[in-house]
């Protein structure tokens, strides 16, 4: 590594650390000045975070939330992938169902939760349904767009070399669509997280969202901030996972 | 000297026509391609060259007429036919080796069993060392070399080229034309070579089918009459110029203007010069 890139990296690193430090200091100062019911300082937040980690509250909530998240995401992925492929390759289905898909995508999902509550009540599965509804659209739409954008030339190649119909799916359509699907997964991971918190808000008093609600009812600003911080870190981690997945499967799409 | 009637043509196109609804793309097209022969198809853009070719390989159903490959009517893409595509048609998620092997693996041959032939063909087209590369890592010319290797891997009796060099820069095109002739010389496939470049049609073809008109039909079939092996110097011969000028005028010729053709036509048709032996496959 030459001197120039070293200096460049140092600059980037110092900017990064500086930004984080500045944010932390601002948080601390504002939190100290502001009334506790409105905002709390970083030190109080971290202290409270430590407390809920130690007494197990956070762990239990995390576990509850992530069970629903995982189950919901698996369903969202399956529905999105198969639905997208079907919509892409079966014209009649596409014409019939696409308006609904787009209308539902445009509807803010939070607005549907009260109906689900009336329909399904409280509990594990209604929450899973909420997460599915939040998360499956990006997978569906990206998969559909991918599978529809296969160049006709590649399908000609498959046919000229006498590929059987089911092998055309296996050799051409699926590998071509996979990176698009992964773009959908990346977007879905974040939307599913929103769905998870929203489901906790409306459909139960446990999970991360439930913890957040009860903290706010107690005007425990430090705990609210601590949980929000946890959710943010989870969101960032999911984004990183999604990005890594997408890059891994899209490596041939470079250039 | 055997005449054409004694040789079974590899490709026999019989009164072929294609319509889309009201619009007729081409009609009444008949010609043969014999074993070991290259037939170029030229015509102005939009004359249906690619459509014709898709009908020949069974990717598309013609509206009229039939195509026989090795004496068998074409319904679906037949065995023993390989095609090279304008935009190379490589699967971007497969390595070069896997792409070259595709015609074999699609038939159920394992990658391992295909390996020796794949290696030999990659060497033949000059892509040694790129077996594990992905198409996006290669230049257009190299990608088309891989496309050619893939076509040769199935040991085709019929090789169909759909403007294979049209997407390449002029220099690469010149190199690949001669490379293709060199490689083709080691095999005996019948080749159908679709191009919109008249120079290319003359350089590559033993005969040239000229399409014209709307809907297009065969205006003429020309014997090029230049012996193989051909090289860069071929384009400097009188014969090349004579044939090129004739084909050029035939393609560009206005229906209303009927003066310049006959003399050139005579030069091309009646005077096969010293290449009489090339004219075993008369189109008459």
């Amino acid at each position: 590594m030459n001197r120039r890139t070293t200096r460049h990296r140092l600059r980037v690193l110092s900017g990064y650390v500086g930004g984080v430090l500045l944010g932390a200091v601002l948080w601390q100062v504002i939190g100290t000045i502001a009334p506790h019911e409105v905002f709390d300082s970083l030190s109080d937040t971290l202290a409270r975070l430590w407390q809920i980690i130690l007494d197990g509250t956070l762990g239990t909530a995390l576990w509850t939330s992530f069970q629903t998240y995982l189950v919901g995401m698996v369903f969202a992925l399956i529905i999105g992938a198969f639905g997208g492929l079907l919509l892409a390759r079966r014209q009649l289905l596409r014409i019939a169902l696409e308006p609904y898909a787009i209308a539902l995508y445009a509807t803010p999902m939070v607005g549907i939760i009260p109906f689900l509550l009336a329909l399904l009540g409280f509990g594990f599965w209604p929450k899973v349904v909420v997460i599915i509804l939040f998360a499956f659209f990006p997978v569906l739409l990206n998969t559909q767009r991918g599978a529809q954008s296969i160049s006709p030339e590649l399908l000609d190649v498959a046919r000229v070399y006498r590929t059987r119909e089911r092998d055309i799916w296996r050799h051409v359509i699926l590998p071509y669509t996979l990176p698009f699907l992964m773009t959908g997964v990346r977007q879905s991971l974040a939307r599913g997280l929103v769905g998870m918190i929203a489901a906790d808000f409306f459909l139960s008093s446990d999970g991360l969202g439930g913890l957040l609600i009860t903290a706010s009812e107690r005007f425990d600003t430090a705990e609210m901030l601590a949980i929000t911080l946890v959710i943010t870190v989870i969101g960032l981690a999911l984004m990183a996972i999604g990005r890594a997945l997408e890059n891994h499967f899209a490596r041939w799409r470079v250039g | 000297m055997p005449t054409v009637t004694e040789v079974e043509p590899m490709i026999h196109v019989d009164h072929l026509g294609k319509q889309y609804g009201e619009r007729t793309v081409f009609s009444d097209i008949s010609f043969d391609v014999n074993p070991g022969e290259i037939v170029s198809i030229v015509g102005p853009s939009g004359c249906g060259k690619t459509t014709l070719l898709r009908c020949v390989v069974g990717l598309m159903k013609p509206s009229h007429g039939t195509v026989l490959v090795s004496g068998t009517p074409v319904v679906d893409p037949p065995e023993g036919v390989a095609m090279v595509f304008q935009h190379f048609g490589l699967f971007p998620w497969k390595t070069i080796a896997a792409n070259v092997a595709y015609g074999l693996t699609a038939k159920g041959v394992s990658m391992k069993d295909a390996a020796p032939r794949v290696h030999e063909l990659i060497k033949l087209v000059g892509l040694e060392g790129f077996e594990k590369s992905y198409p996006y890592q290669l230049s257009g010319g190299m990608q088309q070399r891989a496309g050619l290797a893939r076509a040769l891997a199935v040991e085709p009796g019929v090789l169909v080229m759909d403007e294979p060099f049209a997407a390449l820069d002029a220099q690469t095109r010149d190199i690949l034309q001669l490379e293709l002739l060199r490689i083709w010389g080691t095999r005996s496939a019948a080749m159908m070579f679709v191009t919109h470049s008249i120079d290319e049609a003359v350089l590559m073809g033993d005969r040239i089918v000229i399409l014209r008109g709307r809907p297009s039909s065969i205006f003429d079939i020309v014997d090029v009459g230049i012996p193989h092996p051909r090289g860069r110097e071929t384009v400097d011969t009188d014969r090349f110029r004579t044939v090129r000028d004739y084909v050029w005028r035939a393609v560009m010729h206005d229906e209303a203007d009927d003066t310049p053709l006959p003399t050139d036509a005579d030069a091309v048709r009646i005077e096969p010069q010293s290449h009489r032996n090339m004219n075993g496959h008369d189109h008459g």
Side-chain angles (χ1 to χ4, degrees), chain A residues 19-38:
Chain A
V20 172
L21 272 179
L22 185 70
V25 168
L26 271 175
W27 184 346
Q28 186 64 28
V29 170
I30 295 173
T32 315
I33 299 167
H36 282 303
E37 339 47 285
V38 179

Side-chain angles (χ1 to χ4, degrees), chain A residues 153 156 161-163 171 252 254, chain B residues 54 77 83 87 89 92 102:
Chain A
E153 194 176 79
D156 277 357
Y161 291 105
R162 298 161 60 81
T163 315
H171 286 313
W252 54 263
V254 183
Chain B
R54 285 170 58 86
M83 182 163 169
H87 302 289
Y102 185 77

Side-chain angles (χ1 to χ4, degrees), chain B:
Chain B
M1 196 66 218
T3 63
V4 64
T5 47
E6 292 167 35
V7 187
E8 189 193 25
M10 285 305 290
I11 306 174
H12 176 66
V13 177
D14 189 19
H15 296 95
L16 207 66
K18 179 70 188 176
Q19 279 166 279
Y20 291 111
E22 294 284 286
R23 194 171 74 90
T24 304
V25 185
F26 54 77
S27 61
D28 203 27
I29 289 189
S30 302
F31 64 93
D32 289 344
V33 185
N34 296 308
E37 183 190 31
I38 303 180
V39 170
S40 299
I41 315 279
V42 280
S45 56
C47 75
K49 300 185 290 283
T50 296
T51 308
L52 169 64
L53 185 147
R54 285 170 58 86
C55 290
V56 168
V57 299
L59 284 173
M60 193 181 262
K61 300 226 180 314
S63 311
H64 309 282
T66 48
V67 176
L68 304 183
V69 166
S70 312
T72 314
V74 170
V75 187
D76 287 318
E79 179 101 51
V81 173
M83 182 163 169
V84 173
F85 293 81
Q86 188 174 355
H87 302 289
F88 324 135
L90 300 179
F91 297 116
W93 55 88
K94 285 181 189 283
T95 61
I96 293 304
N99 267 293
V100 171
Y102 185 77
L104 303 170
T105 49
K107 278 194 290 194
V109 179
S110 75
M111 197 58 200
K112 195 161 153 273
D113 290 342
R117 198 189 294 170
V118 167
H119 177 72
E120 175 205 327
L121 285 164
I122 283 179
K123 207 167 132 186
L124 180 72
V125 299
L127 282 182
E128 259 182 316
F130 293 96
E131 289 87 347
K132 293 198 168 75
S133 303
Y134 286 90
Y136 76 89
Q137 294 169 311
L138 269 56
S139 68
M142 290 162 87
Q143 290 188 43
Q144 195 57 299
R145 284 169 188 266
L148 181 61
R150 171 175 65 189
L152 296 172
V154 298
E155 299 192 332
V158 169
L159 189 53
V160 171
M161 315 285 283
D162 183 15
E163 306 213 21
F165 308 139
L168 303 173
D169 64 87
Q171 236 177 328
T172 310
R173 188 158 57 227
D174 287 351
I175 294 167
L176 278 186
Q177 284 165 350
L178 298 177
E179 276 274 272
L180 175 62
L181 283 172
R182 171 184 71 82
I183 289 165
W184 173 82
T186 67
R187 326 227 145 203
S188 59
M191 196 194 296
M192 208 173 133
F193 194 100
V194 167
T195 176
H196 65 259
S197 155
I198 288 160
D199 284 58
E200 188 169 81
V202 179
L203 178 63
M204 304 303 294
D206 295 316
R207 287 186 299 147
I208 302 173
V209 172
I210 303 169
L211 299 181
R212 251 183 57 180
R214 269 176 202 277
S216 54
S217 54
I218 294 183
F219 172 76
D220 200 358
I221 299 180
V222 169
D223 278 304
V224 175
I226 300 174
H228 290 279
R230 298 177 186 173
R232 255 187 58 71
E233 64 289 348
T234 302
V235 299
D236 289 327
T237 59
D238 289 340
R239 181 66 189 169
F240 183 90
R241 277 191 284 271
T242 310
V243 176
R244 182 190 58 197
D245 291 348
Y246 172 72
V247 175
W248 196 89
R249 282 191 221 188
V251 171
M252 304 298 175
H253 185 63
D254 194 308
E255 298 290 346
D257 172 19
D258 56 358
T259 39
L261 278 175
T263 41
D264 284 8
D266 287 349
V268 172
R269 291 204 194 104
I270 297 169
E271 206 185 341
Q273 298 184 343
S274 59
H275 313 295
R276 196 154 284 144
N277 58 337
M278 287 304 300
N279 296 336
H281 20 258
D282 195 338
H283 58 273

Side-chain angles (χ1 to χ4, degrees), chain A residues 83-96:
Chain A
L85 283 173
L86 273 178
L87 286 189
R89 309 306 303 180
R90 295 285 174 269
Q91 202 190 10
L92 196 67
L93 265 182
R94 179 164 70 245
I95 293 167

Side-chain angles (χ1 to χ4, degrees), chain A residues 228-247:
Chain A
T228 309
L229 196 63
V230 170
I231 294 171
T232 305
V233 170
I234 293 169
L236 288 173
L238 287 174
M239 268 168 69
I241 292 171
R243 185 72 65 192
L245 270 176
E246 192 183 12
N247 287 342

